[in-house]
Structures are given as structure tokens and as C-alpha cells.
Amino acid sequence: MISSMTAYARKELNQQWGNASWELRSVNQRYLETYIRLPEQFRSLEPIIRERLRNRLTRGKIECNLRFELDSAAQDQELLLNKELAKQILTAADWIKTEHQAAEVNPIDVLRWPGVLSAKEQNLDTISQEILALLDITIDEFITVREREGQALRDLIIQRLEGITEQVNNIKKCMPQILEWQKEKLKSKLEEANIELDNSRLEQEIVMLAQRIDVAEELDRLTTHVKETYSILKKNEAVGRRLDFMMQEFNRESNTIASKSINADVTASAIELKVLIEQIREQVQNIE
């Protein structure tokens, strides 16, 4: 099943410790680019998150945002006093006071010393595991959205492929009449110019003329490209790059048909082919 590169998903989790929410969004990109925004306390999870995204996605510019809020009750944390460190600081302060007759030490200054007073930390390991589990659920929904949009793109592409097949058939029907018309036109010009050619020479001229305007080979290749595109659309993998290559091949054949055209109907069909191919190409740019 093909997938679109544009999608959005959001999931939220509410627990006793507070709430967290993931947001995933993506737009077209030739390769996979991930941009991750995390609260500072979860910065260490970035390599894990990046790896999980790369394991599930292959193309697109992905924005991954985590919002995290502690519950107000969880924020009222117990303060822990490092008594041993405080004693060491006070002992050092007494020595300085004795040796250098310094002023008294303010107890508040001792409490401000790094490591003397700290807040009891939340169990971030448990919270992190719950947040990562929520990320997996968000990625699942994100991929589902991509596949749903991909199915819509597939339907649009199939409609255009049917249009291409119709135009190919129209040109094939026109070609015998065009060749006959060109043959009669050549004979008429020779008669007007009073030029007489033997049958062998005349046949050679007609054959050369037919070769210059014949597009049977290009039409056959277009038919083959249509079949190959149908086959690619059935693959259960990322196919965006393959489809993009096929559009180049489609364009090459349609340009050749347009350059060989000497008939208004063929020209109209060639133009319609280019329009249909361009419409497919625009849709292909959104496919993973």
C-alpha cells in the first residue's frame, strides 16, 4: 500500500504525575529528515525517538514535538538536605574565620551551595517508558493517516493512467488514416510539380515519410509504462522514487509523439498526454 508523505497525528496521556502529548507532522522531502523538540528533562530520549522514527518511516520532513506538564501535586516535592556537605562547608568557613578574621557565615548562603539542598526527583525512568509507549501509538496513527491519504493518491493516479491509455488508443486509431493522407498528399505534390517517379522510388519515399511520422514504438512504450506503473502501485513498500522515475519515461515518449505529429487530432492527444502525465507527477511528489 502506498503512503503519502503529508500527515498529522496527535496523542495525549494523562497520569497521576501529569500529562504528556505527542504531535507528529510531515511534509514532502526527497529523503527522511527528523526534527525533534523535547522538554529538557527528556533530552536523553532523543536518540531513541529518532531511531524509532527511522525504523517506521523512509521519506518526508518529520516534525516530532513532546509537550510535558507535571501535576501540581507532583511539583510540591520534598526538599533533601545534604547534612555532610553542609558540615564540611561550615567547618571550612570556621577555619577561614579563625585564620583571616572573616565575618560570620550566613546559613542561607550555605544552603545555596550546589548540592546542599535538592528536590526529590520524580521517577523519570517510569515516566519515560510511558511517554515512549505513547510515541509508538502516535506513530501507528501517523502511518495510518499516511496510508489513507496514499490510497486517495493511488486512486487519482489510476484515473490518469486510464486517461493515458485512452489517448494512446486514440492515436493508434488515427495513424492508418494519417499515413494514407500523407501518401495521397505526396502523390498530389509530385503531380503538381510534374515529377514522375517509378513505383519503386515512390514506395521508398512513402516508406521514408511513414518512418518520420510513425509513433508506434512510442505508443508501445507508453503502454508498457502504464502496465509497469500499475505494478509499482501494488507494491507494499515505499515507491515514490520509482514512480518519479516512471514520470520521466512517460514525458520522454509524449515529447517524441508531439514532435512527430502532423495531424491536429494527434497533436491534441499529445497535449492531453502531457497534461495527464504532469498531473500524475504532481501527485507522485507526495508519495513516500
Side-chain angles (χ1 to χ4, degrees):
M1 178 180 292
I2 68 173
S3 298
S4 169
M5 280 193 286
T6 57
Y8 173 83
R10 184 181 186 276
K11 285 293 182 182
E12 186 173 349
L13 178 68
N14 294 298
Q15 296 286 43
Q16 292 182 347
W17 42 259
N19 65 79
S21 64
W22 285 104
E23 281 190 359
L24 288 174
R25 66 181 75 227
S26 67
V27 294
N28 302 350
Q29 182 61 270
R30 187 174 182 181
Y31 303 104
L32 179 65
E33 293 184 12
T34 55
Y35 299 87
I36 301 172
R37 296 187 180 92
L38 302 171
E40 191 60 37
Q41 60 266 51
F42 297 106
R43 186 64 61 186
S44 61
L45 297 180
E46 183 169 343
I48 300 173
I49 296 167
R50 195 176 302 278
E51 184 65 21
R52 294 194 181 191
L53 291 172
R54 290 188 177 277
N55 286 339
R56 305 288 302 278
L57 306 168
T58 59
R59 293 181 70 194
K61 180 180 178 180
I62 314 295
E63 293 184 9
C64 177
N65 299 326
L66 171 64
R67 289 182 173 83
F68 176 78
E69 291 184 5
L70 275 177
D71 185 83
S72 57
Q75 292 179 0
D76 297 333
Q77 302 173 20
E78 178 184 353
L79 295 178
L80 301 178
L81 176 63
N82 189 334
K83 295 180 180 180
E84 291 300 321
L85 179 58
K87 287 179 181 179
Q88 292 177 25
I89 295 172
L90 288 172
T91 299
D94 287 341
W95 180 83
I96 294 173
K97 177 183 176 183
T98 302
E99 294 292 327
H100 302 283
Q101 297 180 351
E104 292 287 338
V105 176
N106 188 336
I108 298 298
D109 292 334
V110 176
L111 294 176
R112 289 173 178 166
W113 191 269
V116 173
L117 198 63
S118 61
K120 185 177 181 181
E121 294 184 356
Q122 292 286 323
N123 188 351
L124 287 183
D125 288 342
T126 301
I127 296 175
S128 295
Q129 292 303 315
E130 294 181 9
I131 285 176
L132 288 174
L134 180 65
L135 173 63
D136 290 335
I137 296 173
T138 310
I139 294 175
D140 288 340
E141 180 175 316
F142 186 70
I143 291 175
T144 298
V145 173
R146 281 184 139 203
E147 290 177 346
R148 187 163 57 242
E149 292 189 9
Q151 182 62 36
L153 293 176
R154 179 180 179 275
D155 293 342
L156 290 173
I157 291 173
I158 288 176
Q159 290 177 7
R160 273 59 179 187
L161 289 175
E162 292 172 351
I164 289 174
T165 300
E166 181 181 351
Q167 295 305 320
V168 167
N169 291 334
N170 288 343
I171 296 174
K172 285 182 178 179
K173 291 177 182 178
C174 291
M175 289 312 298
Q177 297 177 357
I178 294 173
L179 292 172
E180 185 62 31
W181 173 72
Q182 279 295 101
K183 180 179 178 180
E184 295 300 325
K185 185 177 180 182
L186 176 61
K187 290 180 178 180
S188 176
K189 286 186 176 181
L190 291 174
E191 290 175 358
E192 291 177 2
N194 292 321
I195 299 175
E196 294 184 4
L197 296 177
D198 57 57
N199 290 336
S200 177
R201 179 62 186 277
L202 181 60
E203 289 298 326
Q204 289 179 2
E205 292 293 330
I206 292 174
V207 169
M208 291 174 61
L209 178 63
Q211 288 176 342
R212 286 198 298 270
I213 66 174
D214 184 31
V215 291
E217 186 176 346
E218 287 78 9
L219 294 175
D220 288 341
R221 281 200 289 264
L222 277 177
T223 300
T224 301
H225 295 339
V226 168
K227 292 179 180 178
E228 178 61 20
T229 304
Y230 275 120
S231 177
I232 293 172
L233 291 174
K234 295 177 182 178
K235 293 183 180 295
N236 190 24
E237 58 187 57
V239 296
R241 291 193 182 94
R242 290 190 184 186
L243 291 173
D244 192 49
F245 171 76
M246 291 304 303
M247 293 307 102
Q248 298 176 36
E249 298 302 305
F250 272 106
N251 268 318
R252 184 177 291 111
E253 307 307 334
S254 65
N255 287 337
T256 303
I257 292 172
S259 67
K260 289 184 175 182
S261 176
I262 59 170
N263 176 274
D265 292 335
V266 175
T267 299
S269 290
I271 293 173
E272 184 63 20
L273 279 173
K274 294 179 73 66
V275 170
L276 292 168
I277 293 167
E278 178 61 21
Q279 289 175 346
I280 296 177
R281 191 194 66 79
E282 290 176 354
Q283 301 302 333
V284 166
Q285 302 309 307
N286 296 322
I287 293 177
E288 183 178 9

